[in-house]
C-alpha cells in the first residue's frame, strides 16, 4: 500500500524569516523553450456513434488552446467523425474506408507545433450488453446481461493499477471498494463461438460506506478559543457505517485522556466526502473529511472539535502483529505549549526531527537516539546538549502502544499507531508539575532504510511542503496572542554533491505572501542520515537539520531564531508539465488551523486537463461549518510544474499555488488565507 511520506518544506525557515517575491529575469536567461503539443492517448478504438475523450497538454506557453481536425478536415465531418475544441471525438454512424482516421491537435500559440493520434472506427457487435451504462457504488453488485453465449471480463483505463472489482460467469459485477483510474470499469462480453466479437458496457464507480472498511489510525490537530487540541487513535470501520474497536487519545490544556474506548458512525458520499461521529459515552466529536482512496482520507473539524485538520490511514494487517516495532526509525513532530495562563512557556511552538533504534533489549529498548529540537526559535542540538537519548516502548494491542523518549527536552511521552511495520503516526505530550509546562504534538515515524548515507543520498528533483510558527515573545505578552502560522510549498533540485542548484518556493506567513522565489543552497549528510542544509531564497539564508529515512526522503526542522516548524524532502517526477498534468478527480485539502482557529477545507475537485475545475467542498471557518459548497474555477500550469488555481465558492474566491509532485499528488499553498495542503488523485 502506498504511504504518505514525510513531505514538508525545505524553505520553512525562509518562510518564517522573509516572504520576498521571486526576482525578475536577467539578460543572461536562456531563450524560452519551444511550444510543444502532446496528445496523451496515441491510439483509440471507438465503436460507430460512440465518443472518446482525448487528453492533451501544451507546454511552454500561456495559451494552451488547440485547433482539432480529423483526416485534415477542421472539426471533422459525418464521414470520418467529428472532434470538438476539447478533444472529444465522436465516431461516424458508419465505418469509414479506411477504418482508421487521424485526429490532429495544432497549438494556437504556434501553428507549426502539433501532435496526432490514430482512431480505429469499429462496427457494432451483433449483440449488446444491458444495461449499456450503470452507476455502481463501491462494493455493490450490478447484473449485466446479453442474448449471446459469452465470456465476461473487465478492463480499466490505460495506466490503471487499482482493483477493478470482479464479475462472475453469470454477468454479475461486484464493484471495487474505491473508483479506479478514470472512475469507470469497462464490462466486456466476448462471444464464445467467435472470440473476435465482443460487446462492452460501462460501470461508473462511486465511493460508498464500503470504501471505509477495516482498521485505521488517525491524528488530528484542532483549536478553539481555549487553545489547541491534539487527538490520535485507531478504529475499525465495518464498511456499512459503524465504528468499533476504537481507542481515543486527547491532549489539551485541561489535561489528557488516554486510550478511552469509543464507538461511532460514519457516512461516505458518492464523491468521497465523509462525516464521522466519535463518542466515548460522555462527549461526542464530529469530523468531516474526504477519501483519497479506501486506504486514506484527509480530515477537518466540525461541531465540538471546532477548527482543525488531520489524516486517517489504513493499518495494514502486518501492523497488527502483536509486538513492538524493531529497527532504526526517523521521526518528526510539532505542536505547542498549551495556552493555560500559568504555563511559563505559554503558547510557545516546538518542532523536532531525529532518529532512534528500537531493539529487543528489555533494559534499554530505545537507544542511540539523537534529535534536533527547535523550541520557540531556540535550537537544542542532538537531544540533551548533544548527547544521545534513550527510552522504552510497550505494545497495547491493535497495532498501537506507548513510547517514552528520555532527555530530549521536548515531548517525551507518545502513543504510536502502526500503519505498517515501517511507519506509524504519533501523538505526544510533555507535562512538568515542577515547571508548570504542558505541551502537545502530533507527528510520524518511518523506518530508516538504505545507508550509510552521504551527500549523494539527496539527488535529483525533490518536492517540499511545510507548516510552522513564528516565535512567541518572551516573556509571554498580556494579552496573549498565539504563535502566528507559516506555510510554504515548492520544489528543489539537489546535485548529489552537496548543492541545491535550483528550485522555487511560495510562502504565506500570517497573510504575507511570497511567490515563486528562486532557491539555492548547500547541504551535508553524515553516514547515520543526519545532515544540515544552508538554504537561500528571497535574499535570506537559513539553516535546517535533516534526517534521511531513505534516499531523497527526509524529515527536517529549522535551526534559526524567528520560529520553528517541520519540514522534509520527497522525490518528484520530472517535467515538463502543463495543464494536462492535472486531469481527473482529486481529494482536495487546505489546512489553516495550527495554534488558533482558522479556515480548513476538504472536498472533491475535478480538474479537466484543459484549465477548468469544478467540485464540492466542506469549509470550517474558525469553527463555523459549511457543507456541500459548490466550487468552480480555472487553473494554469507552467513547464516547471508550478501553477495557480482560482477557486470560486458562493461566498468567497481563493487563490492557491500548485506544485506538481507526481501523477497522483499536487502540493498546495493557500495565498488567500494562510494554509497549505494537497490534491491527491482519487480517479
Amino acid at each position: 500500500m502506498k504511504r504518505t511520506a514525510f513531505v514538508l518544506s525545505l524553505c520553512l525557515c525562509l518562510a518564517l524569516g522573509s516572504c520576498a517575491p521571486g526576482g525578475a529575469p536577467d539578460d543572461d536567461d536562456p531563450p524560452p523553450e519551444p511550444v510543444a503539443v502532446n496528445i496523451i492517448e496515441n491510439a483509440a478504438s471507438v465503436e460507430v456513434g460512440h465518443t472518446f475523450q482525448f487528453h492533451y497538454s501544451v507546454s511552454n506557453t500561456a495559451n494552451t488552446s488547440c485547433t482539432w481536425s480529423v483526416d485534415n478536415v477542421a472539426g471533422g465531418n459525418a464521414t470520418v467523425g467529428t472532434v470538438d475544441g476539447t478533444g472529444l471525438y465522436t465516431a461516424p454512424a458508419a465505418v469509414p474506408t479506411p477504418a482508421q482516421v487521424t485526429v490532429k491537435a495544432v497549438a494556437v500559440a504556434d501553428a507549426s507545433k502539433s501532435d496526432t493520434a490514430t482512431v480505429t472506427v469499429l462496427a457494432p457487435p451483433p449483440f449488446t450488453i444491458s444495461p449499456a451504462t450503470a452507476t455502481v457504488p463501491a462494493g455493490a453488485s450490478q447484473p449485466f446481461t446479453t442474448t449471446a453465449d459469452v465470456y465476461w471480463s473487465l478492463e480499466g483505463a490505460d495506466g490503471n493499477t487499482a482493483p477493478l472489482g470482479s464479475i462472475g460467469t453469470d454477468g454479475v459485477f461486484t464493484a471495487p471498494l474505491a473508483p479506479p483510474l478514470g472512475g469507470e470499469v469497462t464490462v466486456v462480453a466476448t462471444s464464445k463461438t467467435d472470440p473476435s466479437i465482443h460487446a462492452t458496457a460501462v460501470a461508473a464507480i462511486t465511493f460508498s460506506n464500503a470504501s471505509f472498511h477495516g482498521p485505521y489510525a488517525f491524528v488530528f490537530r484542532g483549536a478553539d478559543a481555549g487553545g489547541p487540541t491534539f487527538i490520535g487513535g485507531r478504529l475499525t470501520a465495518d464498511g456499512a457505517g459503524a465504528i468499533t474497536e476504537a481507542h481515543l487519545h486527547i491532549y489539551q490544556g485541561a489535561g489528557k485522556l488516554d486510550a478511552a474506548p469509543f464507538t461511532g458512525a460514519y457516512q461516505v458520499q458518492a464523491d468521497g466526502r465523509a462525516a464521522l461521529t466519535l463518542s466515548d459515552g460522555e462527549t461526542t466529536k464530529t469530523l468531516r473529511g474526504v477519501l483519497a482512496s479506501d486506504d486514506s482520507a484527509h480530515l477537518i473539524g466540525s461541531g465540538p472539535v471546532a477548527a482543525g485538520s488531520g489524516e486517517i490511514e489504513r493499518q495494514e494487517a502486518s501492523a497488527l502483529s502483536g509486538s513492538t516495532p524493531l529497527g532504526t526509525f526517523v521521526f518528526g513532530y510539532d505542536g505547542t505549549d498549551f495556552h493555560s495562563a500559568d504555563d511559563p512557556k505559554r503558547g510557545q511552538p516546538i518542532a523536532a526531527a531525529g532518529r532512534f533504534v528500537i531493539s529487543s533489549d528489555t533494559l534499554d529498548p530505545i537507544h542511540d537516539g539523537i534529535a534536533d529540537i527547535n523550541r520557540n526559535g531556540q535550537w537544542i542540538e542532538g537531544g540533551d546538549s548533544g548527547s544521545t537519548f534513550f527510552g522504552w516502548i510497550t505494545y497495547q494491542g491493535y497495532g498501537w502502544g506507548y513510547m517514552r523518549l528520555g532527555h530530549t527536552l521536548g515531548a517525551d511521552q507518545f502513543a504510536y499507531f502502526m500503519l505498517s511495520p515501517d511507519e506509524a503516526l504519533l501523538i505526544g505530550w510533555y507535562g512538568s508539575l515542577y515547571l508548570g509546562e504542558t505541551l502537545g504534538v502530533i507527528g510520524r515515524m518511518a523506518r530508516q532504510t538504505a545507508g550509510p548515507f552521504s551527500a549523494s543520498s539527496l539527488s535529483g528533483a525533490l518536492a517540499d511542503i511545510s507548516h510552522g510558527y513564528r516565535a512567541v515573545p518572551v516573556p509571554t505578552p498580556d494579552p496573549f496572542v498565539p504563535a502566528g502560522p507559516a506555510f510554504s510549498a515548492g520544489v528543489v533540485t539537489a546535485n548529489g554533491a552537496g548543492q541545491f542548484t535550483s528550485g522555487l518556493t511560495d510562502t504565506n506567513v500570517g497573510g504575507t505572501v511570497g511567490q515563486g522565489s528562486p532557491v539555492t543552497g548547500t547541504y551535508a549528510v553524515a553516514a547515520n542520515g543526519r545532515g544540515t542544509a544552508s538554504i537561500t531564497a528571497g535574499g535570506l539564508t537559513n539553516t535546517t537539520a535533516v534526517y534521511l529515512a531513505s534516499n531523497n526522503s527526509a524529515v527536517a526542522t529549522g535551526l534559526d531564531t524567528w520560529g520553528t516548524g517541520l519540514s522534509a524532502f520527497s522525490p518528484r517526477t520530472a517535467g515538463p508539465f502543463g495543464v494536462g498534468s492535472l486531469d481527473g478527480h482529486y481529494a482536495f485539502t487546505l489546512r489553516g488551523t495550527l495554534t488558533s482557529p482558522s479556515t480548513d477545507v476538504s472536498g472533491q475537485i475535478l480538474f479537466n486537463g484543459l484549465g477548468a475545475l469544478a467540485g464540492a467542498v466542506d469549509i470550517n471557518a474558525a469553527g463555523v461549518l459549511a457543507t456541500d459548497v459548490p466550487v468552480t474555477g480555472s487553473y494554469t500550469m507552467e513547464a516547471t510544474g508550478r501553477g495557480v488555481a482560482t477557486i470560486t465558492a458562493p461566498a468567497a474566491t481563493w487563490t492557491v499555488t500548485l506544485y506538481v509532485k507526481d501523477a497522483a499528488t499536487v502540493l498546495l499553498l493557500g495565498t488567500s488565507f494562510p494554509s497549505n495542503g494537497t490534491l491527491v488523485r482519487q480517479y
Side-chain angles (χ1 to χ4, degrees):
M1 174 172 52
K2 184 176 180 180
R3 286 291 178 205
T4 305
F6 291 113
V7 184
L8 301 157
S9 172
L10 168 67
C11 297
L12 173 66
C13 299
L14 302 169
L16 291 166
S18 173
C19 294
D26 59 39
D27 294 337
D28 295 327
D29 285 343
E33 295 290 329
V35 173
V37 181
N38 178 38
I39 298 178
I40 307 302
E41 303 87 0
N42 57 20
S45 296
V46 186
E47 188 179 316
V48 293
H50 287 217
T51 62
F52 183 84
Q53 178 67 63
F54 285 100
H55 301 85
Y56 71 99
S57 64
V58 180
S59 305
N60 305 320
T61 176
N63 186 348
T64 58
S65 300
C66 282
T67 59
W68 292 79
S69 63
V70 184
D71 280 356
N72 293 318
V73 177
N77 57 32
T79 301
V80 295
T82 60
V83 64
D84 67 13
T86 71
L88 180 66
Y89 172 78
T90 301
V95 177
T97 303
Q100 288 189 333
V101 299
T102 300
V103 173
K104 185 176 184 179
V106 178
V108 172
D110 184 348
S112 68
K113 307 300 181 184
S114 64
D115 196 12
T116 61
T118 300
V119 176
T120 301
V121 181
L122 304 176
F127 57 87
T128 59
I129 299 175
S130 180
T133 61
T135 298
V136 188
S141 295
Q142 169 67 49
F144 289 93
T145 61
T146 184
T147 56
D149 189 15
V150 298
Y151 298 107
W152 294 96
S153 60
L154 303 174
E155 294 180 355
D158 289 344
N160 177 69
T161 59
L164 298 176
S166 62
I167 191 165
T169 57
D170 57 357
V172 176
F173 167 68
T174 301
L177 296 177
L181 184 66
E184 296 179 344
V185 175
T186 300
V187 177
V188 182
T190 301
S191 171
K192 290 183 178 180
T193 57
D194 185 352
S196 67
I197 299 174
H198 64 269
T200 61
V202 173
I205 313 303
T206 63
F207 287 97
S208 74
N209 280 350
S211 301
F212 191 57
H213 62 99
Y216 294 85
F218 63 92
V219 291
F220 183 89
R221 180 204 316 265
D224 57 21
T229 298
F230 301 90
I231 301 174
R234 58 90 49 210
L235 57 83
T236 298
D238 70 351
I243 292 173
T244 60
E245 298 175 341
H247 294 86
L248 187 68
H249 302 249
I250 303 176
Y251 298 164
Q252 53 192 10
K256 63 175 182 173
L257 179 68
D258 271 327
F262 70 94
T263 59
Y266 66 92
Q267 182 66 45
V268 178
Q269 297 175 221
D271 63 359
R273 288 181 298 130
L276 290 82
T277 301
L278 313 177
S279 176
D280 65 1
E282 295 183 4
T283 60
T284 298
K285 305 293 185 184
T286 58
L287 301 170
R288 300 286 298 186
V290 59
L291 273 69
S293 67
D294 62 325
D295 288 334
S296 64
H298 302 288
L299 303 173
I300 65 170
S302 63
V305 176
S309 63
E311 56 193 336
I312 184 166
E313 300 184 40
R314 179 178 303 285
Q315 292 181 291
E316 295 179 0
S318 56
L320 311 177
S321 62
S323 61
T324 59
L326 299 176
T328 303
F329 288 84
V330 166
F331 69 90
Y333 66 74
D334 73 287
T336 66
D337 261 70
F338 293 111
H339 295 180
S340 54
D342 57 351
D343 187 335
K345 295 185 177 180
R346 180 183 184 190
Q348 291 186 8
I350 185 171
R355 69 186 289 274
F356 53 74
V357 177
I358 306 175
S359 72
S360 56
D361 184 342
T362 57
L363 297 179
D364 198 13
I366 294 180
H367 52 88
D368 295 322
I370 56 173
D372 287 84
I373 301 170
N374 188 322
R375 189 159 189 178
N376 203 44
Q378 299 298 310
W379 174 31
I380 305 168
E381 180 182 4
D384 186 4
S385 301
S387 66
T388 60
F389 65 81
F390 58 88
W392 55 257
I393 185 169
T394 65
Y395 183 80
Q396 300 296 312
Y398 292 106
W400 79 275
Y402 290 111
M403 292 193 306
R404 289 291 298 266
L405 304 181
H407 300 290
T408 62
L409 299 184
D412 62 356
Q413 306 172 53
F414 293 87
Y416 68 89
F417 310 96
M418 300 304 298
L419 304 174
S420 73
D422 300 326
E423 193 168 10
L425 301 179
L426 304 174
I427 179 171
W429 163 274
Y430 170 79
S432 170
L433 295 177
Y434 176 74
L435 297 175
E437 299 174 17
T438 56
L439 65 84
V441 299
I442 59 173
R444 181 184 293 262
M445 70 180 194
R447 184 178 302 279
Q448 190 179 58
T449 60
F453 297 94
S454 67
S456 64
S457 301
L458 287 176
S459 179
L462 306 170
D464 59 271
I465 186 171
S466 78
H467 63 275
Y469 322 80
R470 284 279 196 181
V472 174
V474 179
T476 303
D478 188 14
F480 170 69
V481 177
F487 300 93
S488 73
V491 294
V492 68
T493 299
N495 70 353
Q499 292 182 314
F500 296 115
T501 55
S502 63
L504 294 170
T505 189
D506 284 62
T507 59
N508 190 329
V509 182
T512 301
V513 177
Q515 296 180 312
S517 298
V519 177
T520 58
T522 60
Y523 64 93
V525 179
N528 65 359
R530 182 190 181 275
T532 56
S534 178
I535 307 153
T536 299
L540 187 68
T541 298
N542 294 277
T543 304
T544 185
V546 180
Y547 287 84
L548 273 74
S550 60
N551 291 337
N552 290 334
S553 179
V555 64
T557 190
L559 307 182
D560 296 291
T561 59
W562 41 72
T564 185
L566 202 59
S567 54
F569 309 104
S570 64
R572 183 195 186 216
T573 300
F577 303 94
V579 290
S581 301
L582 277 72
D583 184 11
H585 294 78
Y586 292 80
F588 167 75
T589 305
L590 277 179
R591 58 170 182 180
T593 297
L594 289 180
T595 61
S596 58
S598 185
T599 298
D600 306 288
V601 186
S602 70
Q604 183 197 69
I605 296 182
L606 167 64
F607 289 76
N608 73 346
L610 302 172
L613 61 88
V617 301
D618 301 322
I619 306 169
N620 189 322
V624 179
L625 182 68
T627 61
D628 304 316
V629 178
V631 295
T632 58
S634 61
Y635 67 98
T636 63
M637 182 57 61
E638 302 166 5
T640 60
R642 180 185 182 274
V644 176
T646 302
I647 303 173
T648 300
T653 296
W654 312 314
T655 302
V656 180
T657 301
L658 315 170
Y659 279 98
V660 177
K661 178 181 180 293
D662 53 40
T665 308
V666 179
L667 309 182
L668 308 179
L669 189 282
T671 56
S672 298
F673 61 92
S675 57
N676 67 12
T678 56
L679 291 170
V680 179
R681 186 163 183 176
Q682 296 172 313
Y683 57 90

